Amino acid sequence: MTQVDERFMYVNMGPQHPSTHGVLRLLLKTDGEIVEHATPHIGYLHRGLEKIAERVTFPQFTPFTDRLDYLASMNCNLAYALTVEKLLNIEIPRRAQIIRVIMAELNRISSHLIAFGSFSSDMGAFTPFLYGIREREFINDLFEMVCGNRLTYNYIRIGGVSKDIPDGFIEKTKEFLDYFPAKLKEYNEVLSYNAVFVKRLANVGVITTDQAIEYGITGPNLRASGIKWDLRREEPYLIYNELDFDVPVGKGEMGTIGDSWDRYMMRIYEMGQSARIVGQCLDMLPQGDFTAKVPKVLRVPQGEVYVRAENPRGELGFYLISDGSIKPYRLKIRAPSFANLSIFPLLAKGVMVADIVALIGSLDIILPEIDR
Amino acid sequence: MEAKDIHQLLVNRFHDRIKDFQENTFPNAVVVDGSSIVEVCGFLKNEPGMEFTSLISISGVDLKEQSKLMVAYHLGSMQHKHKIVLKVETDRNNPHVPTIEMLWRGANWYEREAYDLYGIIFDGNSDLRRILLPDDWEGYPMRKDYVYPKRYHTWNV
């Protein structure tokens, strides 16, 4: 225990953002209402997934990837599948690739909806939270049609996807795409440009471009700092190079580039772009196989790869070393939120306690992938 | 720039402190002598034409057959879009690697994680504590020869 200075009060700030329920502990050293120093304590959800990976076979690890970022399981499945496929060197059927993109983008929308909703409830606006959940419910129904699950999908497997999309899925998705843009407009009317909301967020928790790169921040948080870096554009995987979408970048519309409002707004813009991508994919969906031929007992050739994919929260990478057996020799998971949270002590210096809530919400971290 | 050319440049500059080049990995890897990792990283980060500005991740690896621990540094460049892996091998019984925290502040947490799970000590790290496990946890779980404990304090594991 450190020497306690009587001028300061130590506050354990508990679960604040819904995706940090009970597993993120912030130890704040406060001087009145000003935070002098913040220490995030993580590891309360540490399940040892990397150790588990060395004890199960390659296909068996797929369900564990669902439990990484459980608001974006599809994207985690996808990144893992891409990693193993890179070592296997197999060709994925085009239909499977397009289905994967559809699922990944729908999941990006649903993840950002949770981010939007929970962030607004952090800021004291409860109704938008219900809006976010309402729209996400639609996507959950779609995913339930496809694989029967509503949270941990385990749909994208090594070699393709687990089964073909059912009848009526395409019509239902189109219905969603017709209905969604109007809702985005509604979010902007209700919340994004609300004077109180903007005042709470503009110029709070500014991440400069240099800081963002130095701390390895990725995803919407990096783009909010004004760097146009999206792996779907820079290192296209699947069929992203054939698609037409924009990469939104923070412009400091309401304050400074890289402030909390920019980070919030990135997600709203990205949802619109993801909806565009899904629409394009539905139009070009060909007939064909939904999975490549993968042997029952999967022996992955010796070698090591690092493959990364653009998740809703940033760059998810898998560093995989295989020794030619049926189990990974080493699987390191490079989680986006891990880097995104590591900048937190720097941002939290000298801000108000109420702004801490805004900071955590705008970084949109998720604990299961930090703790793994 | 290709990884091969980067390796050649590194050899010209650091001579025998660059060990060998691994072509069969993706991205290609360069094995570096542990004592000069800071110099090599600094060179890659700041040299015009290289500009490996982003540290993607630091991972510990247990090479039990060679009785070594390895640290793999994944570096990437946003400007030139090239990637490289630097590998540092260290003795399994006395693992010490210099920290690269002064180059990338984000390295701190990655190094803490490697220390936590592998017991690799990063000399010079400003805050080398366990990060995922409790402070009083014994042993380093990610090592291949880790024996699972029966109990932790008063409850069964």
Side-chain angles (χ1 to χ4, degrees), chain A residues 64-80:
Chain A
F64 287 104
T65 56
D66 293 337
R67 276 81 180 166
L68 278 174
D69 178 353
Y70 48 49
L71 296 177
S73 298
M74 290 279 186
N75 302 75
C76 296
N77 292 169
L78 174 61
Y80 177 66

Side-chain angles (χ1 to χ4, degrees), chain A residues 42-43 46 51 54-55 213-215 234-235 304-306 308 315 319 329-330 332 334 372, chain B residues 25-26 53 56-57 60 62 74 81 83 87 105-106 110 113 118 131-132 141-144 148:
Chain A
I42 60 174
H46 179 60
K51 187 76 177 176
E54 296 172 9
R55 302 173 62 109
I213 292 177
E214 198 177 350
Y215 277 86
E234 309 298 336
E235 294 180 7
E304 52 183 90
V305 286
Y306 177 84
R308 45 193 191 165
E315 171 192 317
Y319 176 45
Y329 182 81
R330 168 79 168 112
K332 153 89 183 173
R334 188 265 183 222
R372 298 190 301 281
Chain B
T25 68
F26 173 83
T53 46
I56 298 168
S57 83
D62 187 355
H74 287 80
K81 294 184 192 172
K83 283 186 299 207
K87 289 180 174 176
R105 298 290 304 280
Y110 292 125
E113 191 193 340
Y118 283 93
I131 186 166
L132 295 174
M142 286 296 289
R143 291 192 181 196
K144 294 279 177 186
Y148 289 87

Side-chain angles (χ1 to χ4, degrees), chain B residues 130-147:
Chain B
R130 284 193 181 267
I131 186 166
L132 295 174
L133 298 172
D135 289 345
D136 56 358
W137 191 268
E138 285 175 12
Y140 303 108
M142 286 296 289
R143 291 192 181 196
K144 294 279 177 186
D145 55 0
Y146 179 68
V147 182

Side-chain angles (χ1 to χ4, degrees), chain A residues 34 137 173 364:
Chain A
I34 307 291
E137 211 54 23
T173 311
D364 186 30

Side-chain angles (χ1 to χ4, degrees), chain A residues 203 206-209 223-226 250-253 255-259 262:
Chain A
N203 301 324
V206 178
I207 302 180
T208 63
T209 45
R223 291 191 281 277
S225 297
K251 293 195 174 62
E253 223 174 309
T256 328
I257 292 182
D259 61 5
D262 264 349

